[in-house]
Amino acid sequence: MSINNFSKVVIVAKDEWRYWLRSKLAMTVLAIGLLLTLSSVVVTAITMHELSHARHELQTTSDKSFVDQPDRHPHRMVHYGHYAFRTPSPLSTLDPGIDAYTGNSIFLEGHRQNSAMFADQRQGTALTKLGSLTPAFIVQTLAPLLLILIGYSSISRERELQTLSYLLAQGTSGITLIAGKGLALLSVVGLIIAPLAVSALFTVSAGESLLAVASFVVGYALYLSVWVLLILLASSVLNKNSSSFTALAFIWILLCIVMPRVASTTAATAIPSTGKIETDFAVKAELRKLGDGHNTNDPAFKQFKQSLLEKYNVNSIDELPVNFRGLVASESEAKQTDVLNQFAEQRMHAELKQTQVSRYFGWVSPMVTIRSLSMIVVGTSIETHHRFLRETEQLRFDFVQGLNKVHIEKLNYQDDLNRNANAAATQKARVSADNWKILQEFNFTVDSANIRTQRSVPAFLQLLLWIAVLVGGIKFVGKRLS
């Protein structure tokens, strides 16, 4: 573009702004958009800061509560359990992602894998499930509507006022006119993005990477640019303001409201997953085959018992240098964990496949694209949640087996066997509370910025394709503008 054409583009953009400044509707919509974005950024940031502090305090309290338990039988501590909390990532102040639905803490205990708890949406009312006013929701869903209200008449207004032919006769080409209107709308995008960008930059001081921040801001800028191009194309093609607004309102409903639901429904239909009740029954059926780890006489441990006698070259379990009950508990836990992990991996694989299917709809809906891109870059996507589940499961297994090791090495077999004979026997079958200091410090962090950015590449390509197609359409229409 030549300097002369660029100056014309700037003049058209300034003229559009003069029109908006005179229009009460445009200024009201712009003020509402800025106010919503700013307030959502502030409120969400405060909420996430308080939540992060609360989770840290709860984790510390949980650790202290476990370590401060008195002398007990080690297997009682296996069932006493422990909590693991996930602190939010720095950028989650702008997009909490699926964390609001999946939960942020897990109760860890022996013989079972519990699901994450304390999800905000599970504790909310039905109205909160429609969508919280987070910065991500504002920019993903409401910002396009605000842009439509401001720019739907960009070109069609010139036709209705019969100034389009005058502008074209003065030497302003159709492409230049559309570019000027687009520049004005992009400046509005800049105003909407500014609070988001500033807030994202503040997360750098909390440990977030500049790469992640840049990817986040650029992703939203591209998304709103898609809407600017859609608005310009509709306003250029349609002759009347009413037609342009109606078409754009329909497109907004289709792309922002309908398509995300279609994507999730299609994914659930294409990749069916087993229900919780079915899965629980299947897990219990498999676990029954492994035997009861609380019963050393269970036939399932007959071969294990024989292998121990041969290993230690003794004739009975009473002659073993270690506690047989503890060995059975440890062996049972290992086998049960293998089964539980198999079912967990199957469930997570199905969830990931469903997510991938829904992300394919980003080729037909930029809303689906930016939602996926945002959660991936922020670190609140399904991939991050699955890693949280795997790491907490490893933490659970290590802490349970650590207690089983105490059971094996620190508690005499006969004392353990006779623990319920009387009060003195019960007291003798306890171990020192010093053995509870086996917990590993748990501090979950999201994936590195490089990994998150690599995962978001398909979403960026989807947005760039949208932009390329719309720019091509605008060039075609602009050359024929009359």
Side-chain angles (χ1 to χ4, degrees), residues 46-115:
I46 293 173
T47 302
M48 296 305 291
H49 175 75
E50 292 176 348
L51 186 58
S52 177
H53 179 73
R55 291 181 191 177
H56 178 74
E57 288 296 319
L58 287 170
Q59 187 69 70
T60 302
T61 302
S62 178
D63 292 347
K64 187 175 185 302
S65 176
F66 186 89
V67 173
D68 289 347
Q69 291 301 302
D71 296 354
R72 282 184 174 177
H73 190 285
H75 200 72
R76 285 195 63 188
M77 293 301 292
V78 168
H79 290 284
Y80 180 81
H82 177 53
Y83 282 94
F85 291 86
R86 175 185 171 185
T87 53
S89 64
L91 272 175
S92 63
T93 56
L94 302 176
D95 186 2
I98 67 169
D99 288 2
Y101 299 89
T102 57
N104 52 63
S105 66
I106 294 181
F107 180 61
L108 311 175
E109 60 179 325
H111 322 319
R112 62 183 301 171
Q113 289 179 354
N114 295 311
S115 57

Side-chain angles (χ1 to χ4, degrees), residues 245-475:
F245 179 75
T246 303
L248 287 168
F250 174 78
I251 291 172
W252 177 79
I253 293 172
L254 179 65
L255 299 185
C256 291
I257 307 298
V258 176
M259 289 308 298
R261 274 77 180 167
V262 171
S264 59
T265 302
T266 303
T269 304
I271 312 293
S273 57
T274 308
K276 187 178 187 305
I277 295 178
E278 281 184 74
T279 302
D280 288 346
F281 276 116
V283 169
K284 287 181 179 179
E286 289 297 320
L287 292 180
R288 286 195 195 99
K289 299 176 183 178
L290 302 178
D292 181 7
H294 298 92
N295 179 14
T296 55
N297 294 319
D298 194 303
F301 301 107
K302 183 177 180 180
Q303 186 176 354
F304 176 67
K305 175 183 175 180
Q306 187 60 39
S307 66
L308 286 174
L309 296 177
E310 293 175 0
K311 176 181 177 181
Y312 289 98
N313 195 25
V314 293
N315 296 319
S316 69
I317 56 176
D318 294 324
E319 299 175 14
L320 288 173
V322 288
N323 190 329
F324 179 63
R325 289 175 59 84
L327 287 169
V328 169
S330 179
E331 176 73 6
S332 175
E333 189 67 39
K335 290 183 176 181
Q336 287 179 349
T337 299
D338 287 340
V339 172
L340 293 172
N341 283 341
Q342 288 175 13
F343 279 92
E345 288 297 329
Q346 289 174 8
R347 186 193 69 251
M348 287 189 282
H349 179 72
E351 290 173 350
L352 188 58
K353 291 289 289 183
Q354 288 178 345
T355 302
Q356 290 169 345
V357 169
S358 68
R359 287 173 182 170
Y360 290 145
F361 280 79
W363 299 108
V364 294
S365 171
M367 170 66 174
V368 175
T369 301
I370 190 59
R371 190 172 61 177
S372 300
L373 186 152
S374 182
M375 289 191 291
I376 290 171
V377 171
V378 167
T380 54
S381 64
I382 191 71
E383 290 90 347
T384 304
H385 177 63
H386 285 170
R387 191 165 66 83
F388 171 66
L389 295 179
R390 291 187 178 100
E391 290 190 12
T392 51
E393 170 53 23
Q394 187 61 51
L395 178 71
R396 183 200 72 83
F397 181 72
D398 290 343
F399 118 80
V400 170
Q401 291 297 64
L403 289 171
N404 285 333
K405 184 178 180 182
V406 172
H407 193 173
I408 294 168
E409 299 176 354
K410 301 292 181 68
L411 186 59
N412 180 269
Y413 175 67
Q414 288 299 327
D415 292 340
D416 190 15
L417 199 63
N418 300 319
R419 66 191 182 282
N420 295 322
N422 50 54
T426 300
Q427 187 66 32
K428 196 174 182 180
R430 296 180 178 181
V431 298
S432 170
D434 292 337
N435 292 291
W436 311 152
K437 298 176 182 178
I438 61 170
L439 293 178
Q440 302 174 16
E441 183 179 355
F442 183 72
N443 184 22
F444 181 82
T445 56
V446 297
D447 293 308
S448 68
N450 287 332
I451 292 176
R452 284 179 279 156
T453 304
Q454 288 173 8
R455 284 181 186 155
S456 67
V457 168
F460 275 109
L461 292 177
Q462 288 174 339
L463 289 176
L464 291 173
L465 179 64
W466 269 93
I467 290 174
V469 171
L470 290 171
V471 167
I474 287 174
K475 283 185 176 181

